[in-house]
Amino acid sequence: MTAPLHEAHPSGPGRVLPDTQQGMRRRNLARVMHAVSAEGQLSRAAVASRIGLTRAAVSTLVDELIRSRLLEELGPERPGRVGRPGSALAVSGHGPAGIGAEIGVDHLAVCAVDLRGQVRARAIRHGANRGRSPEPVIDELTELLRQVVAEAKGEGLWPAGLAVAVPGLVARDARTVVRAPNLDWHDTDLGALLPTDFPLTVDNEANFGALAELWLGEGTPPDFLHVSAEIGIGAAVVVAGGLLRGTRGFAGELGHVPVRPEGPRCACGGRGCLEQYAGEEAVLRAAGLEPGEDRVGLLAGRAAEGDAAVRRALRDAGKALGIALTGAVNLLDPESVVLGGALSGLAPWLLPSLEAELDRRTAGPACPVSVSRLGPEGPLLGAAYSVVRAVLDDPAAVAERN
Amino acid sequence: MTAPLHEAHPSGPGRVLPDTQQGMRRRNLARVMHAVSAEGQLSRAAVASRIGLTRAAVSTLVDELIRSRLLEELGPERPGRVGRPGSALAVSGHGPAGIGAEIGVDHLAVCAVDLRGQVRARAIRHGANRGRSPEPVIDELTELLRQVVAEAKGEGLWPAGLAVAVPGLVARDARTVVRAPNLDWHDTDLGALLPTDFPLTVDNEANFGALAELWLGEGTPPDFLHVSAEIGIGAAVVVAGGLLRGTRGFAGELGHVPVRPEGPRCACGGRGCLEQYAGEEAVLRAAGLEPGEDRVGLLAGRAAEGDAAVRRALRDAGKALGIALTGAVNLLDPESVVLGGALSGLAPWLLPSLEAELDRRTAGPACPVSVSRLGPEGPLLGAAYSVVRAVLDDPAAVAERN
DNA sequence: CTAATTTGTAAACGGCCATGACGAAATAGG
DNA sequence: CCTATTTCGTCATGGCCGTTTACAAATTAG
């Protein structure tokens, strides 16, 4: 996991990876893992026909994976058809685990996920982190991490890597937080503060949320737009099953898409950006509420009670979101739009105006809008599962590390 | 060339291509071709270090490619360093050729490009095609095709495929034109009308224009936004060296990105779409001119003369483009924006207001805007070179067809 | 003129998947 | 109940392909 693997990458004319027999073997090991992981349970013969290799070849690959404790033999399948029944294989529930962590504005969380995607251990600590310096926060996180790792080890798992979701911009090295306005952190190298004996990756929580939707959401297509709001409004663009990060890593700044070019000034230098209409601050102001703790819960509560001002504010925000998303949908033609993060809790009041605006304006057929069912857990799960994906993508690498 | 190769594609959990030794060989042949093609001239040893194989392996690969007439041995390199000088290899100038064709609103064009990217034969026929039925147009195109193929064969080339650029929407089969408003063609199967003895691909001219920029433009990055205008305004999104086509193939509809949400109604059902401000019709109206032949040339001429109304119209169009592009740039974070098609001729008067708007509004650092130097030839060259790319991407496939 | 360096090729080697055969374990049909 | 059929997993064999090792050829450095 030296490089983040969940990334679309060029096969451009520059320096290219060699295609040697060892590489072929590694890719085939990965194909077996992916096939079994996707179906949950599969015989060798089924894997063979699925990935296009012969049964004999798959046998040796599976042997190797079982020896590395990445795959488990569950025993003979219940026969339904003629012929000898296959022996069911499943991804191991006692092998490597992905450790995910989230540094939120008012909580810290850590969890361990096994190769099957099951959460096997977790720990949460509530309490505002806004404005605290990194060191004590990381100390607390390290303690949670210790607990979770211990619990996972008790279940026969061993940590294959740690992925940390942070509410801010992360440098390309996937270690240092360039700036996290809500924490007031700048250029913080989590790699130095979090010395672990397994690989570390840091990424934006919105990105991990989108990946969670991609990997763990039910029926999520490989091309979609994941919109989330914490303070800012961000969109993650998922194309062909990979995150589009942009040249400088700044892709997805939906919050600064112009909605009304002559609208109110924005901190970014523009005018009438989406954030001026659908950002947290703007919505609270329009609803006549003061900023404070748990603002989203407050909004949702008032809206549920029937507060007219709040409902109007959310309706207007939905409309602005619809306008901005129209541009995005026309440009990218995604299969769907998913609302995640804080937006999922407010969806009932945002959706009607959002969809109305989007449907009316989109050039082609309407693009379906859905709400994430992972809710606020998305980023944490996505982080943990990103480690699992790295294992599935190159099982040989972790096997030799064990 | 059964499938369009210039496409980002998923490695998703579904059915995956097998990784066999033959496949490895084919990919390594492709790597050698790409390496030599990228540098123009390279020794075996240089290829080996570039693609990460040993000299011995590269030797056998090169032998095979030379036997297939895809590579040529130019003889010993001029020695500059110590050691035995290498033998220069170059992509063949006497092997397969890519044939490109363009069906424009008021012209037809065909050209042949060799593996080195050199145009080796061409034929053009001017004359309005608007409203003519497909058959006579295709007949004329076939005649041009015949000429170009004959000329190419005279130079020792043989056609490896035909790619046709059309001003309209093309179905996913890459053969039938769903609708081309400027030609008034609907559901026209060019595969049936153009029976050739080599593979055929049909695509939108804007897509081919963007690919031409990617493949043949000087210093074009692998991530950029290519904006072009014919009647509508379209953007091609190039990500990681591949075209982003969208789920339904509708990606890039920049013309219907909302610029002013309460602006004038648009045919698409929305309001204030970019096309209402920067579309050809809108600009002509704002400039006080009547629609007619060679509208772009007219605009450019008047603007050059200093016509105030025309200049103002273009300035306003540039501003609207800047607003729409701000959204796209914030969402995608491309390395640059390239203006192509009709826009390249009008760039001097569009650019200032466009860049001003874009720079002011973009959240991150400014995104450079450049003008395509391929100009109106882009789509034709892109089409022809797309065939060449297909050869470079899988040389074994064409070798066995020869 | 010799030593050092680099290139291209040839032969032996080892790894990996395909092929074909075979035993094992189920169903189908008499 | 017994046999033919089907499917699964495995084993031995073979062929393909990149690596390793060695070597001759061609150049520069001194």
Side-chain angles (χ1 to χ4, degrees):
Chain A
M1 224 174 56
T2 46
L5 288 158
H6 36 81
E7 218 165 329
H9 243 304
S11 66
R15 196 161 292 269
V16 187
L17 292 175
D19 211 340
T20 157
Q21 300 185 93
Q22 291 175 32
M24 184 172 76
R25 181 78 176 172
R26 288 172 76 139
R27 282 191 300 275
N28 281 334
L29 288 169
R31 286 193 167 94
V32 171
M33 289 300 289
H34 270 116
V36 175
S37 168
E39 297 300 316
Q41 201 161 309
L42 226 48
S43 70
R44 289 167 175 77
V47 171
S49 79
R50 195 161 300 243
I51 67 178
L53 295 181
T54 59
R55 298 201 308 276
V58 169
S59 260
T60 73
L61 291 165
V62 167
D63 282 353
E64 190 172 333
L65 290 169
I66 288 180
R67 273 200 306 279
S68 313
R69 317 249 305 147
L70 296 176
L71 236 43
E72 279 175 5
E73 186 122 37
L74 299 184
E77 284 173 333
R78 194 168 42 80
R81 302 168 304 283
V82 285
R84 169 180 168 181
S87 179
L89 300 169
V91 139
S92 172
H94 307 283
I99 313 291
E102 184 178 11
I103 302 177
V105 179
D106 31 41
H107 79 293
L108 296 174
V110 178
C111 76
V113 169
D114 65 21
L115 288 186
R116 294 177 183 166
Q118 301 296 316
V119 176
R120 300 287 289 277
R122 62 196 325 158
I124 304 185
R125 203 198 121 286
H126 291 281
N129 298 317
R130 194 189 288 266
R132 292 176 69 197
S133 78
E135 289 77 10
V137 176
I138 297 298
D139 283 349
E140 288 182 10
L141 189 71
T142 306
E143 173 54 23
L144 295 180
L145 196 60
R146 207 191 47 72
Q147 288 173 31
V148 167
V149 167
E151 196 177 335
K153 278 184 175 162
E155 302 212 22
L157 295 163
W158 60 272
L162 169 65
V164 184
V166 296
L169 190 68
V170 177
R172 303 191 74 125
D173 63 0
R175 287 171 45 113
T176 75
V177 179
V178 176
R179 57 184 163 81
N182 281 27
L183 299 171
D184 201 31
W185 290 7
H186 300 276
D187 299 304
T188 308
D189 180 2
L190 295 188
L193 294 171
L194 260 175
T196 58
D197 43 353
F198 35 83
L200 169 72
T201 317
V202 182
D203 202 350
N204 180 275
E205 63 174 345
N207 285 343
F208 277 131
L211 291 171
E213 199 60 39
L214 170 69
W215 292 326
L216 303 169
E218 287 170 47
T220 307
D223 293 82
F224 67 101
L225 212 55
H226 186 264
V227 185
S228 63
E230 300 304 326
I231 16 126
I233 298 176
V237 183
V238 176
V239 177
L243 210 47
L244 194 157
R245 303 189 107 96
T247 326
R248 309 167 195 78
F250 295 164
E253 283 284 358
L254 190 70
H256 298 287
V257 167
V259 169
R260 282 181 236 281
E262 274 84 37
R265 298 214 88 88
C266 179
C268 76
R271 312 188 68 146
C273 300
L274 175 61
E275 236 168 71
Q276 300 299 313
Y277 302 98
E280 185 181 296
E281 219 178 301
V283 173
L284 285 173
R285 196 173 339 110
L289 301 176
E290 291 297 314
E293 294 285 309
D294 190 21
R295 302 105 352 211
V296 176
L298 184 63
L299 280 173
R302 292 286 180 89
E305 288 166 14
D307 185 318
V310 170
R311 288 205 172 172
R312 178 158 31 79
L314 291 174
R315 199 161 53 234
D316 289 349
K319 189 175 168 187
L321 268 165
I323 294 170
L325 282 173
T326 299
V329 167
N330 276 329
L331 209 59
L332 301 171
D333 185 27
E335 197 159 328
S336 72
V337 173
V338 179
L339 300 186
L343 294 179
S344 57
L346 300 172
W349 303 281
L350 291 168
L351 262 184
S353 55
L354 189 162
E355 283 187 309
E357 211 63 34
L358 185 58
D359 290 356
R360 186 182 333 151
R361 308 184 102 103
T362 311
C367 179
V369 181
S370 62
V371 180
S372 168
R373 258 171 300 179
L374 297 168
E377 292 246 274
L380 179 64
L381 293 175
Y385 201 72
S386 75
V387 177
V388 169
R389 289 289 298 202
V391 173
L392 298 179
D393 285 343
D394 191 2
V398 316
E400 70 195 21
R401 277 221 327 272
N402 190 11
Chain B
M1 224 174 55
T2 47
L5 288 158
H6 35 81
E7 217 164 330
H9 244 305
S11 66
R15 197 161 291 271
V16 187
L17 291 174
D19 211 339
T20 156
Q21 303 183 89
Q22 291 174 32
M24 182 173 77
R25 182 78 176 172
R26 287 172 77 140
R27 283 191 299 276
N28 281 335
L29 288 169
R31 286 194 166 91
V32 171
M33 289 299 290
H34 270 116
V36 175
S37 168
E39 296 300 316
Q41 200 162 312
L42 226 48
S43 70
R44 289 166 175 78
V47 171
S49 78
R50 195 160 301 242
I51 68 178
L53 296 180
T54 60
R55 298 200 309 273
V58 169
S59 260
T60 73
L61 291 164
V62 166
D63 282 353
E64 190 172 334
L65 291 168
I66 288 179
R67 273 200 307 278
S68 313
R69 318 248 308 146
L70 296 175
L71 238 40
E72 279 174 5
E73 185 121 38
L74 299 184
E77 284 174 332
R78 192 170 44 80
R81 301 169 304 283
V82 287
R84 169 180 168 180
S87 178
L89 300 168
V91 138
S92 172
H94 307 282
I99 313 291
E102 184 177 11
I103 302 177
V105 180
D106 31 41
H107 79 293
L108 296 174
V110 178
C111 77
V113 169
D114 64 21
L115 288 187
R116 294 177 183 166
Q118 299 296 316
V119 176
R120 301 285 290 276
R122 62 196 327 159
I124 305 185
R125 205 199 120 283
H126 292 279
N129 297 317
R130 194 189 288 265
R132 293 177 69 197
S133 77
E135 289 77 10
V137 175
I138 297 297
D139 284 348
E140 288 182 10
L141 190 70
T142 307
E143 173 55 22
L144 295 180
L145 196 60
R146 207 193 46 71
Q147 289 173 30
V148 166
V149 168
E151 195 176 336
K153 279 184 175 161
E155 301 212 23
L157 295 163
W158 60 272
L162 169 65
V164 184
V166 296
L169 190 68
V170 177
R172 302 191 74 123
D173 64 359
R175 287 171 46 114
T176 75
V177 179
V178 177
R179 57 186 163 79
N182 280 27
L183 299 171
D184 201 30
W185 289 8
H186 300 276
D187 298 304
T188 309
D189 181 2
L190 295 187
L193 295 170
L194 259 176
T196 57
D197 43 352
F198 36 82
L200 170 71
T201 317
V202 182
D203 202 350
N204 179 274
E205 64 174 345
N207 285 344
F208 278 131
L211 291 171
E213 199 60 39
L214 171 68
W215 291 327
L216 304 168
E218 289 169 47
T220 307
D223 294 84
F224 67 101
L225 214 54
H226 186 264
V227 185
S228 63
E230 299 304 325
I231 16 126
I233 298 177
V237 183
V238 177
V239 178
L243 211 47
L244 193 158
R245 303 189 109 97
T247 327
R248 309 166 196 80
F250 294 163
E253 284 283 357
L254 190 70
H256 298 287
V257 167
V259 168
R260 281 182 238 279
E262 274 83 36
R265 297 215 88 88
C266 178
C268 76
R271 312 190 69 147
C273 299
L274 174 61
E275 237 170 69
Q276 300 299 313
Y277 302 98
E280 185 181 296
E281 220 178 301
V283 173
L284 285 173
R285 193 171 343 108
L289 300 176
E290 291 296 314
E293 295 284 309
D294 190 22
R295 302 105 353 212
V296 175
L298 183 64
L299 279 173
R302 291 287 180 89
E305 288 166 11
D307 185 317
V310 170
R311 288 206 172 172
R312 180 158 29 79
L314 290 174
R315 199 162 51 232
D316 290 348
K319 189 175 168 188
L321 269 167
I323 293 169
L325 283 173
T326 299
V329 167
N330 277 329
L331 210 59
L332 302 170
D333 184 27
E335 197 158 329
S336 71
V337 173
V338 180
L339 300 185
L343 294 179
S344 57
L346 300 171
W349 303 281
L350 291 168
L351 262 185
S353 54
L354 191 163
E355 283 187 308
E357 211 62 37
L358 186 58
D359 290 357
R360 186 183 332 151
R361 308 184 102 103
T362 311
C367 179
V369 181
S370 62
V371 180
S372 167
R373 258 170 299 178
L374 298 168
E377 294 245 272
L380 180 64
L381 294 175
Y385 201 72
S386 75
V387 177
V388 169
R389 288 289 297 200
V391 174
L392 298 180
D393 284 344
D394 191 3
V398 315
E400 71 195 23
R401 276 221 327 273
N402 190 14

